[in-house]
Amino acid sequence: MMLICPQCTFPNSDHNKFCQNCGTSLTDKIRIDTHDNVVLDINYFGDADIRLRDIESEQMQTLTQLENTCSLLSMSEISTDTVEVSSGENPDSSLTILQLDLDHETEDRIVNDQMTNIPLSPPLVSWEYAAYTDTGRQRNHNEDYFAIDSKVHKQELPEGASLTKRGLYILCDGMGGHAGGEVASKLAVNTIRKYFQQTWTSGELPNQESIKEAVYLANQAIYDLNQQQARSGMGRMGTTLVMLLLQDQQAAIAHVGDSRLYCLTPREGLVQLTIDHEVGQREISRGVEPTIAYGRADAYQLTQALGPRDQNYLDPDVSVFDIHEDMLLLLVSDGLSDNECLETHWQTHLQPLLSYDSDLEMGIQNLIELGNEYNGHDNITAILVRVKVSPSQPALSSI
């Protein structure tokens, strides 16, 4: 037997106390014969990954089919994972998200929340990071500079708890000699960091226009300083830039120059997500064979950098993507990426770091040592970001 809602005529299972469509009490029970044909209209219940199957209106021929469909509404438990957030100040800190056990009364509240457009908590992601910079074996000063700004915000409401996470990771490799490159890289990092502190105030990832604006402001700050100090030609200071922004399960990348960002996933291995702004790559984009393009004497000369020229000559690359699987994101200066160092050694020095039992701090120290042994001619800087997608999320295609 089934119960027909007196308010919306929705057919409900005999044991329901409230209508699963409109929430009306089923005190006034209208029973239907099991031989009747019944049309179902069951919708998604919310933004909290309580994904009930969206059943299009169709006639159900037997009581068994009908009861199986209605049983989809009888979810009794929702659980979320522990979210660990590591920082340079307290790498062992962790934040545990409340585990919820829902009874029938709470199920009814979920229905009412959906009807009043109150969103439930989204799927959660945890990440941790490590960063390090080293002068290298042939330089006497370090022109690299980096900054990390990571925040976690937990909100408690009667409808439930929510957690939002964001991270800003910036790496710059300065040029222009002592008191030139050092100044340019630090000025660029701090200009961008302050810009997002003032503008990144919502719970959404900044759009591409906003990200480009941050890059343009950094370029202008260095360019103006060059003008004030009457620097010219090769004496003009500048810097490369690679930047990663994370907001929950969304990410954005921006870069200028030859500092790189790599992504490592279990299925795709190591993938370089940025393309160097240098003469060789410019020629390849024009259709020149790679061997010819990089046979030029100026193949590794930068075609873009922050500071030497004004905004009219700057075209930063910005891209946005969703994170659907566990991954390791790596921002590096060319002291580590030169001579295909990472492409050659990623299986020994990066792949083990996908495991959450591995130590990121130790891993990044090993990377710096590798860079010094394999290259060593330049400053070496790396930022590692390890992201874990909630097990409740299906593993989709990698970025």
Side-chain angles (χ1 to χ4, degrees), residues 48 78-83 96-100 121-124 390-392:
I78 299 176
S79 62
T80 56
D81 290 340
T82 299
V83 176
T96 301
I97 307 305
L98 183 64
Q99 180 171 339
L100 304 177
S121 301
L124 299 176
S390 171
S392 64

Side-chain angles (χ1 to χ4, degrees), residues 86-303:
S86 298
S87 67
E89 297 178 356
N90 185 10
D92 297 323
S93 63
S94 64
L95 180 59
T96 301
I97 307 305
L98 183 64
Q99 180 171 339
L100 304 177
D101 294 320
L102 303 185
D103 54 18
H104 290 295
E105 183 177 352
T106 310
E107 290 179 26
D108 295 331
R109 191 182 69 185
I110 292 176
V111 176
N112 291 332
D113 287 346
Q114 171 65 18
M115 294 173 61
T116 54
N117 296 319
I118 299 176
L120 301 176
S121 301
L124 299 176
V125 175
S126 68
W127 69 67
E128 49 189 322
Y129 60 83
Y132 198 84
T133 186
D134 186 78
T135 303
R137 296 182 174 178
Q138 297 181 21
R139 298 292 182 91
N140 57 15
H141 63 282
N142 195 341
E143 295 180 279
D144 289 359
Y145 199 78
F146 72 86
I148 295 171
D149 190 351
S150 182
K151 297 180 181 179
V152 177
H153 176 68
K154 184 178 181 181
Q155 180 175 264
E156 296 278 359
L157 295 172
E159 295 79 31
S162 65
L163 184 74
T164 57
K165 303 164 298 301
R166 70 173 56 169
L168 174 64
Y169 308 87
I170 315 169
L171 187 156
C172 288
D173 179 0
M175 61 195 75
H178 185 65
E182 293 178 10
V183 172
S185 60
K186 186 174 183 178
L187 182 56
V189 167
N190 288 333
T191 300
I192 293 172
R193 181 175 57 84
K194 291 177 182 178
Y195 171 81
F196 284 117
Q197 285 178 345
Q198 297 172 358
T199 61
W200 193 358
T201 56
S202 69
E204 298 180 355
L205 192 72
N207 58 35
Q208 295 191 36
E209 290 73 20
S210 178
I211 295 172
K212 285 188 176 183
E213 179 63 22
V215 177
Y216 290 141
L217 287 174
N219 181 78
Q220 191 65 41
I222 303 169
Y223 178 79
D224 289 345
L225 189 57
N226 277 324
Q227 296 294 92
Q228 293 170 14
Q229 297 179 356
R231 291 174 174 263
S232 61
M234 297 297 293
R236 297 178 74 81
M237 70 178 75
T239 184
T240 67
L241 164 71
V242 63
M243 174 170 54
L244 171 68
L245 299 90
L246 293 176
Q247 176 75 55
D248 299 320
Q249 286 180 265
Q250 288 189 308
I253 300 169
H255 93 284
V256 174
D258 61 358
S259 292
R260 295 178 179 177
L261 196 149
Y262 292 87
C263 175
L264 176 66
T265 63
R267 289 190 290 181
E268 296 293 329
L270 186 68
V271 178
Q272 182 180 332
L273 299 183
T274 56
I275 298 177
D276 297 345
H277 294 141
E278 58 188 16
V279 173
Q281 287 293 335
R282 183 195 66 192
E283 294 303 297
I284 291 175
S285 68
R286 293 174 176 176
V288 178
E289 291 292 330
T291 54
I292 298 176
Y294 276 96
R296 299 172 50 130
D298 61 350
Y300 293 96
Q301 180 177 325
L302 296 183
T303 56

